[in-house]
Structure formats: structure tokens, C-alpha cells
Amino acid sequence: MSPAEAPDSVVRVVRAYIDQHRAAFLDDLAEWLRIPSVSADPERAGEVRRSAEWLAAKLSETGFPVAEVWDTEKGGLPAVFAEWPSGDADAPTVLVYGHHDVQPAAREDGWATEPFEPTIVDGRMYARGAADDKGQVFFHTLGVRAHLAATGRTAPAVNLKLLIEGEEESGSPNFAALVRRHADRLAADVVMISDTGMWGETTPTVCTGMRGVADCEISLYGPGTDIHSGSFGGAVPNPADEAARLVAALHDADRRVAIPGFYDGVVELTERERELFAELPFDEDAWLGVAKSHATQGEAGFSTLERIWARPTAEVNGIWGGYTGPGGKTIIPAEAHVKLSFRLVAGQDVDKFQQSIGAWVAAQVTPGIRYEIEFRGATRPCLTPLDHPALQSVVRSMGQAFEQKIRFTREGGSGPAADLQDVLGAPVLFLGISVPSDGWHSINEKVELALLAKGVETSAYLWADLAEHWAVGQGQQSDRPSQARTN
């Protein structure tokens, strides 16, 4: 897509405003990063609340007329909600999602600096949460102020809402309930996720979707207790044998998932989407090095990127049963277990998927073996059509900020974005500036300050572009990815 450039006067004002306020912005971000809002540590629950209160106060200071700390159910950790109405009757409503909780971190883990004392070295700010996700949440505060300065408005060109979660790093246990409880106040035309990244520092990209995930444990039971393999072997069903047969039957010779109905509804890649993935500078050998694997493997007919971004998968996470101690023990075990996880893509229905798993297991298991299947919940996939007007606004705005072509990726993993999509009925888009070297969840997490400034600048252009193109684009978007203009 060739970005429609903002007027030079707007660009000059935005960049000058960011330059003028850069130091204060980084000081504020550093102050927030000093709060160790580790949601996984019960002893730091108070710090997570302090982080939420700090952010709500800062959003009020930024200009949001509504900035509230929202408690979650079951004694969970708080989220932050903020709202700044546009005042324009036909303005679209955008809900920005991020999170203010962080992963655990300690100097003795191998950090070169104190993880909760932000340190700037060579244009990078090192601290836990610098990229994941406080830095990427916080760039919107300076971005909206630069937007107002450049447009002369007193309120954003869109109805701007923020929902900043406090439990994302702990699996978002209360997030779906929070969204359902406040669905009326969270209502939006578009959800913007600022908890993602780009391909690399010199290859800015926009993510267009995330896979969903579902997992289950299958327990297989045979004799009432472990029994002698000499006396009974070859004459009664063996649960460990059944577990092995079940796992072996999971894929066919082309590494396609062999569960009947598994691919029902899958939104297939278009040729244009495959071309866009192929444009990325993917080094498969380097990727294998990160994976610490010696070879690639997967569904026949698809590239590595297509497999991890756009195809559903089934993986064995664990298999066990019988005797696993030293030496031998000649038994037929009483039970065996298999843990499976499935990455789902757009078009797959989670409820139908679970029914397919149940029917498949029933058909595979030998008579005389009792089995149980425990599903542990599921996250639905989300996918934004390439021609969606809001996505095109993101691409134009990023193109203006980065002054180069913006390419497209997807995420192989899963997140709470689908909860927002399901409850609010709004499409999900992604705006992030983090890069793989930022070290999410690792030691020495950092954010590139130059890219952080590009995030601010993208946010500054985005709201006016989205407001301008929204009404026209609503009549043009399709129900699935299309041949978007990308050159």
C-alpha cells in the first residue's frame, strides 16, 4: 500500500512536538517502569494496583476526561479504563488494549542492570516492561497530544478508549468476565492491540491476525491396577499402547491433522497473502537456530511462515504412563495420559472442534479401555481482512512515520484479543513497534527509543486518518482477506 502522505505541515508539527516532549515522556515512562507490577507474584499485588493507579492519574493528566481503575472478579488484579470522546457525531470509536502487568525479573537472573531501574544505553531503555507492554501502551499518551497539536483539535478525531489489563502475564483469568461486565462502556467500532511487534528494526510490519488455542488432556484406563505382563500381556488392552496409537494417528503422511472435521471452515490463504509473506526477509537457518532444531517439519504444501501463522496445528505436549523409574518393571500399566494442544485459525469453530476431538478419540480407542477428555478452555483466533479501512489507516500512518513500505505478518501465538472481538463484535487490529531483540519475558528486556518514537508518531497520525476514511471504507470492506493494494 502506498501511504497517502499527511500534509508536510502536519508532519512538521508532529515531529517537533515529539522532539520537544521526548525527555519528559521518557522520564514518565521510567517512573512507571520502576513499579514492579508482577501479576504472577501474590506479594506484589499491591504494586500491580499502584501501577494501575499511576496510569489512571497519568491518563487524566494527558487529557482523558475519564480515567478509572477497574477491579476484577475473584480478587483479581485491576485494569485501567480511560475514555476521551471526540465530540464529532460521526466519529468512529477505537478501543486500545494493552497491559500494565509484567513478568518476574531479578538482577540475579542474569540482568546487566537492575530490571526495575530503567537504564538508557546506546539508544535503548532497559527495564522489565519497557517493550512488554508499558512502553507500547505509553506511546499513545504522547501520540494523542501530538495529534491534537497538529490538528488544532481539543479532543481526538475518534472516540478514544483505553483498556489496560493487569493480569495478561498471568493468563488473563478474569479478563473475559471484565469485558462482558463492562461491554456497554467498552463498545467500539475497532479494537487496537498495542501488545505486539514488528518483523525487525528495518522492516516495519503490521500484524493482521493471531491464532487461537485449545488444549486437552486425554486419560486412558485399563486394568484396575498395574498387572504382570507375563501373565496378562498380549491378552488385555494396554493403556500405554493406546496412548502411543492415539498420538501416532494424530497426523497423516503429509503432516495434516487426521481428525475428521478438523479443517472445517478454515479460512484459506489467498495467493496475494502468500506473496506478502514471501516478501519478508525470512532466514530459515537463523530461525532454526532460535528454535534449537535441526530441521523444519509441517503440513505439506506450505512454507514455514505459513505454517506458524495461518495453518491450524496439533501438538503433543506430553505423554506418560506406566513405570518410568530406573531399570525395568514388567507390567501392563493401569493408566496412561496424553496432553494435546491445538492452534486454531480463522473460520474454525471451537465448539465444533471439541466435538470432533471427542468423536475422534471414541473411534480410536480399543474396547476395554475407558477414557476421559478434559478440555481446559480455548482462545478463539482473530483475523483482520487486508482491505479493512482501519487496517489501511494503520498502514498509512506507519508508512508516514517510518517513511517506507509497511509489510504484513501474523502471530503464531494467541492472546486475549479474541475475547474483545467475541464480546464486543468489533474487528481487532494490531499496532506495535517492538522487535524480536527486545527480549520479552527474558533478561535485559529493552525498547529501542527510535522505534518508540515511531510508535508515538504513528499514533499521532492514526486518529485523524481513521476518522477521515472510516465512513467511506465501511461500504467497501469485505468479509475476508482480499487483494489489498500493497504497492
Side-chain angles (χ1 to χ4, degrees):
M1 179 177 296
S2 178
E5 293 189 356
D8 288 344
S9 58
V10 170
V11 175
R12 283 197 301 271
V13 172
V14 165
R15 290 178 177 172
Y17 191 92
I18 294 171
D19 239 17
Q20 181 183 355
H21 294 86
R22 177 182 183 275
F25 167 77
L26 293 179
D27 286 346
D28 284 343
L29 175 58
E31 183 177 320
W32 193 22
L33 291 168
R34 290 189 184 99
I35 301 174
S37 49
V38 180
S39 59
D41 185 351
E43 293 186 1
R44 284 183 158 166
E47 299 289 5
V48 179
R49 179 165 295 278
R50 185 160 71 96
S51 170
E53 292 170 348
W54 186 96
L55 177 59
K58 187 57 64 175
L59 292 173
S60 292
E61 182 183 312
T62 296
F64 283 83
V66 175
E68 303 169 353
V69 175
W70 282 359
D71 287 324
T72 54
E73 296 179 351
K74 302 176 183 177
L77 299 169
V80 175
F81 172 76
E83 182 175 14
W84 197 340
S86 167
D88 297 344
D90 58 349
T93 299
V94 180
L95 174 66
V96 175
Y97 166 86
H99 63 91
H100 66 94
D101 64 319
V102 299
Q103 283 280 314
R107 183 68 181 267
E108 54 266 29
D109 295 338
W111 283 70
T113 59
E114 291 293 338
F116 294 105
E117 184 51 54
T119 305
I120 295 177
V121 179
D122 296 332
R124 303 176 178 98
M125 178 180 281
Y126 291 87
R128 175 60 87 219
D132 181 22
D133 182 38
K134 290 180 177 178
Q136 300 202 92
V137 166
F138 203 58
F139 73 59
H140 287 291
T141 63
L142 183 53
V144 71
R145 300 200 322 262
H147 160 65
L148 299 180
T151 60
R153 298 179 59 92
T154 57
V158 300
N159 300 308
L160 186 58
K161 300 179 182 181
L162 272 66
L163 179 62
I164 312 304
E165 187 188 357
E167 297 182 317
E168 194 274 345
E169 299 292 9
S170 297
S172 302
N174 298 296
F175 185 67
L178 181 75
V179 174
R180 286 193 294 268
R181 188 165 76 247
H182 295 287
D184 288 346
R185 296 190 68 186
L186 294 171
D189 296 301
V190 172
V191 175
M192 196 76 65
I193 307 294
S194 281
D195 182 26
T196 186
M198 307 190 305
W199 182 266
E201 294 177 42
T202 59
T203 308
T205 55
V206 174
C207 176
T208 61
M210 298 181 74
R211 293 192 293 186
V213 64
D215 65 330
C216 67
E217 181 173 327
I218 303 169
S219 298
L220 302 155
Y221 303 97
T225 185
D226 293 350
I227 56 177
H228 195 291
S229 65
S231 300
F232 301 101
V236 298
N238 184 322
D241 286 351
E242 290 298 305
R245 286 199 318 106
L246 202 64
V247 167
L250 194 57
H251 296 90
D252 66 17
D254 290 326
R255 298 298 300 173
R256 282 178 59 86
V257 179
I259 299 170
F262 182 76
Y263 293 93
D264 289 354
V266 166
V267 174
E268 301 290 345
L269 281 163
T270 65
E271 285 306 310
R272 183 58 181 143
E273 287 170 314
R274 301 184 83 168
E275 291 170 3
L276 292 172
F277 287 176
E279 288 180 358
L280 293 164
F282 179 57
D283 183 333
E284 193 164 88
D285 289 338
W287 179 84
L288 281 170
V290 174
K292 296 180 172 55
S293 180
H294 303 292
T296 61
Q297 185 186 62
E299 186 181 358
F302 295 92
S303 70
T304 297
L305 289 182
E306 291 166 354
R307 290 168 180 163
I308 61 176
W309 286 349
R311 299 301 296 168
T313 63
E315 296 293 341
V316 179
N317 307 132
I319 178 171
W320 70 99
Y323 180 69
T324 59
K329 187 178 183 183
T330 53
I331 60 167
I332 296 171
E335 60 187 71
H337 307 268
V338 179
K339 286 184 183 287
L340 303 176
S341 66
F342 303 85
R343 295 291 171 169
L344 310 177
V345 299
Q348 286 182 291
D349 182 275
V350 171
D351 294 333
K352 290 182 179 178
F353 155 78
Q354 291 183 346
Q355 293 171 12
S356 297
I357 297 295
W360 175 73
V361 173
Q364 295 292 322
V365 173
T366 299
I369 293 287
R370 181 175 63 87
Y371 69 89
E372 297 174 354
I373 305 176
E374 181 184 0
F375 291 99
R376 304 183 188 278
T379 298
R380 297 181 187 275
C382 56
L383 179 64
T384 307
L386 289 176
D387 61 350
H388 194 285
L391 176 61
Q392 295 189 44
S393 288
V394 173
V395 173
R396 278 191 295 269
S397 300
M398 283 192 75
Q400 183 68 71
F402 283 86
E403 297 182 314
Q404 67 182 93
K405 180 178 179 178
I406 305 302
R407 303 180 188 276
F408 296 90
T409 64
R410 295 193 198 176
E411 291 281 347
S414 311
D419 289 329
L420 292 164
Q421 177 181 262
D422 289 349
V423 176
L424 304 181
V428 170
L429 294 94
F430 299 85
L431 171 57
I433 49 77
S434 184
V435 290
S437 63
D438 283 345
W440 291 27
H441 296 201
S442 186
I443 61 171
N444 301 321
E445 180 184 346
K446 54 86 175 172
V447 67
E448 299 284 337
L449 297 184
L451 296 183
L452 192 61
K454 294 299 185 187
V456 174
E457 190 176 346
T458 299
S459 177
Y461 300 136
L462 178 57
W463 311 131
D465 187 287
L466 187 54
E468 179 183 351
H469 293 90
W470 179 256
V472 174
Q474 281 303 285
Q476 298 175 349
Q477 60 179 300
S478 68
D479 293 331
R480 62 142 292 118
S482 71
Q483 304 289 327
R485 293 170 296 151
T486 52
N487 295 309

